[in-house]
Amino acid sequence: MSAASGVALPRQPARGAAGLLPQLLLALVCGGYATGAAFGWGSPEAALFMGDFGLSGAAVLACASCFWYWRRRSSRFRPAWLLFAASSGMAGFGNAVWGWYEVVLKAPVPSPSLADFCFLLFAPPAIVGLLVLAKRPVTRAGWVCLALDAWLIGGSLLTLSWSLALAHTAHFRGESVAQAALSLAYPLLDIVLVSMVLALHFRRTSANRSAVNTAIAALALTVLCDALFTSPLLREHYRSGQILDAGWFAGSMLMAYAPWVARDEAARAPSPGRVTHHSGRPISGSLAALTPYLAAAVCTLGILYNVLDGRRIDRVVLFTGCTVVLALVVRQGIMLLDNISLTQELAHKENHFRSLVQGSSDVIMIAAPTGILRYVSPAAAGVYGRDADELIGSELAALIHPEDLGRVVHEVRRFLAAPPAEEPNTRIECRFRSGTGDWLNVESTVNRHHGGLIFNSRDVTERVRLQAQLQHNAEHDPLTDLPNRALFTRKVKQALSGRRATDAGTAVLFIDLDGFKAVNDTVGHQAGDELLVSAARRLQESVRAGDSTARFGGDEFAALILGDGTRDHAAREYRMYEIADRLRLRLSQPYKVEGGTEVRVAASIGVAFAEPGITPGELMRNADLAMYRAKQAGKGRVEMYAPQMQAEVVRRAELATRLRTALHEGEFALLHQPVVELGSGRVTAVGAQARWRSSQGILFTPAEFMRAADDGRGGGGGARVAELGRWMLEEAVEQAAQRYRAGHSVPVFVRLSASRLMDKALPPKSVEALLTRHRLPSGALILELSGGDPRVPLDELEHRLVALRRLGMRIALDGFGSGYAAISALRRLPIDVVKLDRGLVDGVVESARLHKITSGLLRIAADLGLQTVADGVDRPEQVCALRAMGCTHGLGMAFSGPLDEHRLRRALERGDYPVPGGLWTELPEDRDHA
């Protein structure tokens, strides 16, 4: 029994405990029954009971199990399990009837009886069930071959069975016709069942393979026991409960277990995305093809044995043998026709695929396991520039670039070692030698082929070049072709972390071209671009081959200078300063731009050294800070980074943060400094000045908090300056209106920058609305234009000031005499008041040159009919000197400092300040001479 089961059941892969437990229970039950049968169950009565009702219970269990599976599952194989349930039910009912006679009635079983008919009906449902489970042929020839195979096996078995036993059974020996028919029908149906089992074993469907194998094993074991029971030697001595019943019992238990195997296999079915491995079964395929021929050979050998032994050949044997031979001939003819059809179809497909391969634009190559090319498609002539015949027989390794060969060999070996089901193909990209000797970039899809490889290759040189160009564009500046910030940062990171990380003296230089915007504004953007290209070329020519340069955008450049290992701090600083200063001089030389125009720019350079533990971002930030310090210190110079620069940035950032908070929390106050007529001491106006008293009690002057508000680096300082200017204007107008209502009708000077006056958020109408809201006469507001901003066109500024004057406001020019910008503004802009620059006032007494310059400027203002105001008049001798030169007004510590509102009103109520008497007639040069 165990041997039969082992042959029929295929070896299954290892399962979990859930799948192993039913098998253990099945083995224990079958083994227990076999042990009991071998030792006679302890008594004849127990042997009869177990031999009849034990077999009946096992068959009924198989019937219930198959029926339950039929009810619960929905597939095209459901009818097979219903038929197996019917077959088991017949066997169970037949054994129950047999037990009724032997155990209950204690009488011999009559022949024929109802049990015989039940056993007779066991085979037909099982045969039909096997047909349902079989893989259905797709052609009529397949169905015919299936029937012929079944008859070849069945006829051979019938020939042997008839010669050995059935011929004796066919002689009635006093038996009735019914008894003889039953005696022949039972083994004949078993022969048919065995034929179907053998014929369909190699044709079964792949679905529920374990369940089908178990069902076939159960039927095969049952038929084997039936054959032994049919043998005259065993049948005469058979008694219920003997060892033969253990085979029938095991067959029924296997049939009962078969649906459970189907359920376990369904639970272990792989998910759709999971890769499964199905190993081929060449031995099974060979047996499937040889089974009909082996059956015919057995039949022929049986007949020859009888002839050579001198026995008379029975007509049944002769007829059956002839039909088997005829079936074999017919089957061979069908197979021959089928092979001819398949050969023609294969030739057609081969021609079709040959046309596809030869007409493909991709090159298809087949390489032997040794690497020798066995086939190359004609497309090689167009792709590689080499004939296919020239490539055939050459080594593939000789055609691959030496730098790529190791990588290709490694990938091929890895691919061949991988399971084919997991990795059916792979892709390899390498350089391939063309017929002209050039190297082409080739992408190949590699597949296995009879131990060798198939390469499906295409030329991707243009794609590789395009990718390289796109990569280059992504990492380089489009105008100068220098590396951009991203690539430069990566190079700095490599320098800090690579093998040269320990080289002392590595530094980053940040370079800014001073005056570049003026070139754009005066000569044009095209000339500016030419200047940037020339500057980039000079920068590249001025550094070593191992150093790196970059453009960050605008007029900002950078350079990475690798260290030479010098440990002396002073020596490496001197060396780097020399390099940076040489770059500064080179970049500051004149440039020839569009139209032969010669332009000049200066270069501000910041240098930062790579210290241990520093990151690329910190190193570049330090160089940027040093460059910014160079610009603050006068431009056109080199500055080395020092730690206090970062501390200054932190301090300024903290101050700017507090300033932003102060604007919203009312920490600013507006003070006013009286403007005094130098001749009489009368207060004629006041100048508004903002002061910031921080929450820490620190009083900041305008110069201090304006530096914090406007960091000059685009960090949002412009917005803070604008917000502060708006607050100052509104506060000055409001307080002036209050003084006007209190009887102090003195105008107020409010200082605004040119960029603030041109701000779209401050149109003339908004200033007029502000004056109207506070009911302040427009003549009481004097807008003081401070500083010259080259970014503001004078034409637009002139139109804005003209619009403000039409509203009744007066315009004052601050910093008169400080440079060319003030003279240009005086020439172009509608000015009412000029304020002498503090630098002139400070030296007007001590310096004869400044005395003459100031006197000339005052004469110019007087000739233009402008009111003059001297800023920073702190000493009595300055009052006398300015008054003697024709200056009409002044403000400074000689009269009063900035006052709060309470003190200002007391000064206005007093009305005037004492002024020094007499005239200052002695010139500084005369006094110095004396």
Side-chain angles (χ1 to χ4, degrees), residues 628 649-664 668 690 692 702 704-729 752-753 755-756 759:
Y628 182 60
V649 170
V650 173
R651 191 191 70 79
R652 288 169 60 87
E654 293 176 352
L655 186 60
T657 302
R658 296 206 305 269
L659 173 63
R660 185 164 52 249
T661 305
L663 285 171
H664 297 284
F668 277 88
W692 171 28
E704 291 174 326
F705 65 70
M706 288 302 291
R707 280 199 303 268
D710 187 10
D711 57 11
R713 308 187 72 183
R720 291 193 291 272
V721 171
E723 188 177 358
L724 183 59
R726 182 169 55 252
W727 172 86
M728 186 174 175
L729 178 61
L752 293 174
S753 65
S755 58
R756 176 62 182 151
D759 192 353

Side-chain angles (χ1 to χ4, degrees), residues 567-613:
R567 296 293 178 179
D568 186 2
H569 183 76
R572 73 179 188 182
E573 278 199 358
Y574 179 77
R575 167 182 169 271
M576 196 57 61
Y577 187 87
E578 275 192 331
I579 295 175
D581 197 55
R582 187 171 66 251
L583 282 176
R584 181 188 66 81
L585 294 175
R586 183 81 174 92
L587 294 174
S588 301
Q589 293 176 359
Y591 294 86
K592 290 284 187 179
V593 294
E594 184 180 13
T597 306
E598 184 177 286
V599 295
R600 288 178 178 269
V601 293
S604 297
I605 302 178
V607 181
F609 285 98
E611 303 296 339

Side-chain angles (χ1 to χ4, degrees), residues 384-509:
Y384 299 148
R386 306 177 67 173
D387 292 336
D389 296 337
E390 179 185 349
L391 292 174
I392 294 175
S394 60
E395 289 189 7
L396 185 61
L399 304 174
I400 299 176
H401 196 283
E403 296 179 1
D404 300 339
L405 183 59
R407 176 173 52 84
V408 172
V409 171
H410 174 75
E411 175 63 19
V412 168
R413 289 177 177 174
R414 185 202 60 79
F415 170 66
L416 293 176
E422 289 185 359
E423 193 171 2
N425 55 60
T426 187
R427 284 202 319 170
I428 295 177
E429 189 169 326
C430 63
R431 284 167 288 181
F432 200 88
R433 187 187 299 276
S434 67
T436 60
D438 298 329
W439 293 103
L440 303 176
N441 293 94
V442 175
E443 181 186 67
S444 302
T445 302
V446 185
N447 294 273
R448 298 172 179 84
H449 176 70
H450 298 302
L453 295 172
I454 297 179
F455 292 85
N456 190 353
S457 306
R458 62 200 64 86
D459 183 9
V460 293
T461 304
E462 291 300 324
R463 190 195 72 186
V464 172
R465 289 176 181 171
L466 178 60
Q467 289 176 344
Q469 184 64 40
L470 292 176
Q471 182 70 20
H472 180 85
N473 294 342
E475 295 179 340
H476 289 76
D477 174 59
L479 178 64
T480 63
D481 203 39
L482 290 180
N484 58 15
R485 182 185 294 270
L487 180 56
F488 185 77
T489 303
R490 192 156 62 247
K491 290 186 176 182
V492 172
K493 184 177 180 181
Q494 292 173 355
L496 296 182
S497 60
R499 63 179 181 87
R500 304 201 59 169
T502 56
D503 289 353
T506 297
V508 168
L509 279 62

Side-chain angles (χ1 to χ4, degrees), residues 348-391:
H348 175 72
K349 290 183 178 181
E350 185 178 353
N351 292 331
H352 175 69
F353 284 111
R354 182 180 291 107
S355 300
L356 291 177
V357 169
Q358 293 179 352
S360 175
S361 59
D362 293 347
V363 180
I364 298 176
M365 301 182 296
I366 300 178
T370 57
I372 303 299
L373 293 177
R374 297 304 184 192
Y375 173 80
V376 180
S377 65
V383 175
Y384 299 148
R386 306 177 67 173
D387 292 336
D389 296 337
E390 179 185 349
L391 292 174

Side-chain angles (χ1 to χ4, degrees), residues 177-497:
V177 176
Q179 291 176 338
L182 284 174
S183 300
L184 289 175
Y186 197 72
L188 289 176
L189 287 174
D190 280 344
I191 290 174
V192 175
L193 185 57
V194 171
S195 303
M196 294 304 302
V197 167
L198 292 176
L200 298 177
H201 175 67
F202 302 106
R203 293 176 176 265
R204 61 187 182 279
T205 180
S206 59
N208 293 338
R209 182 180 296 273
S210 299
V212 174
N213 288 340
T214 306
I216 291 177
L219 294 175
L221 188 57
T222 303
V223 171
L224 177 62
C225 294
D226 288 344
L228 294 175
F229 178 75
T230 306
S231 173
L233 297 177
L234 290 179
R235 188 167 184 177
E236 294 179 358
H237 304 284
Y238 170 75
R239 297 291 182 272
S240 295
Q242 293 180 348
I243 192 65
L244 187 60
D245 292 346
W248 283 314
F249 182 84
S252 296
M253 295 304 295
L254 282 175
M255 184 60 74
Y257 176 61
W260 296 90
V261 177
R263 192 185 70 169
D264 292 343
E265 191 175 63
R268 296 191 306 272
S271 58
R274 181 179 172 187
V275 179
T276 57
H277 309 286
H278 299 286
S279 60
R281 300 183 63 186
I283 298 177
S284 300
S286 301
L287 290 176
L290 293 177
T291 299
Y293 301 99
L294 292 175
V298 169
C299 177
T300 305
L301 289 175
I303 297 175
L304 290 177
Y305 174 76
N306 290 330
V307 172
L308 294 176
D309 197 30
R311 301 178 182 177
R312 188 177 64 88
I313 300 177
D314 193 284
R315 286 177 295 177
V316 175
V317 173
L318 183 60
F319 176 78
T320 305
C322 292
T323 55
V324 167
V325 174
L326 180 61
L328 185 61
V329 172
V330 172
R331 186 185 189 281
Q332 190 64 27
I334 294 175
M335 294 300 297
L336 181 59
L337 294 176
D338 194 27
N339 288 337
I340 293 174
S341 175
L342 289 175
T343 302
Q344 293 176 349
E345 183 179 357
L346 182 61
H348 175 72
K349 290 183 178 181
E350 185 178 353
N351 292 331
H352 175 69
F353 284 111
R354 182 180 291 107
S355 300
L356 291 177
V357 169
Q358 293 179 352
S360 175
S361 59
D362 293 347
V363 180
I364 298 176
M365 301 182 296
I366 300 178
T370 57
I372 303 299
L373 293 177
R374 297 304 184 192
Y375 173 80
V376 180
S377 65
V383 175
Y384 299 148
R386 306 177 67 173
D387 292 336
D389 296 337
E390 179 185 349
L391 292 174
I392 294 175
S394 60
E395 289 189 7
L396 185 61
L399 304 174
I400 299 176
H401 196 283
E403 296 179 1
D404 300 339
L405 183 59
R407 176 173 52 84
V408 172
V409 171
H410 174 75
E411 175 63 19
V412 168
R413 289 177 177 174
R414 185 202 60 79
F415 170 66
L416 293 176
E422 289 185 359
E423 193 171 2
N425 55 60
T426 187
R427 284 202 319 170
I428 295 177
E429 189 169 326
C430 63
R431 284 167 288 181
F432 200 88
R433 187 187 299 276
S434 67
T436 60
D438 298 329
W439 293 103
L440 303 176
N441 293 94
V442 175
E443 181 186 67
S444 302
T445 302
V446 185
N447 294 273
R448 298 172 179 84
H449 176 70
H450 298 302
L453 295 172
I454 297 179
F455 292 85
N456 190 353
S457 306
R458 62 200 64 86
D459 183 9
V460 293
T461 304
E462 291 300 324
R463 190 195 72 186
V464 172
R465 289 176 181 171
L466 178 60
Q467 289 176 344
Q469 184 64 40
L470 292 176
Q471 182 70 20
H472 180 85
N473 294 342
E475 295 179 340
H476 289 76
D477 174 59
L479 178 64
T480 63
D481 203 39
L482 290 180
N484 58 15
R485 182 185 294 270
L487 180 56
F488 185 77
T489 303
R490 192 156 62 247
K491 290 186 176 182
V492 172
K493 184 177 180 181
Q494 292 173 355
L496 296 182
S497 60

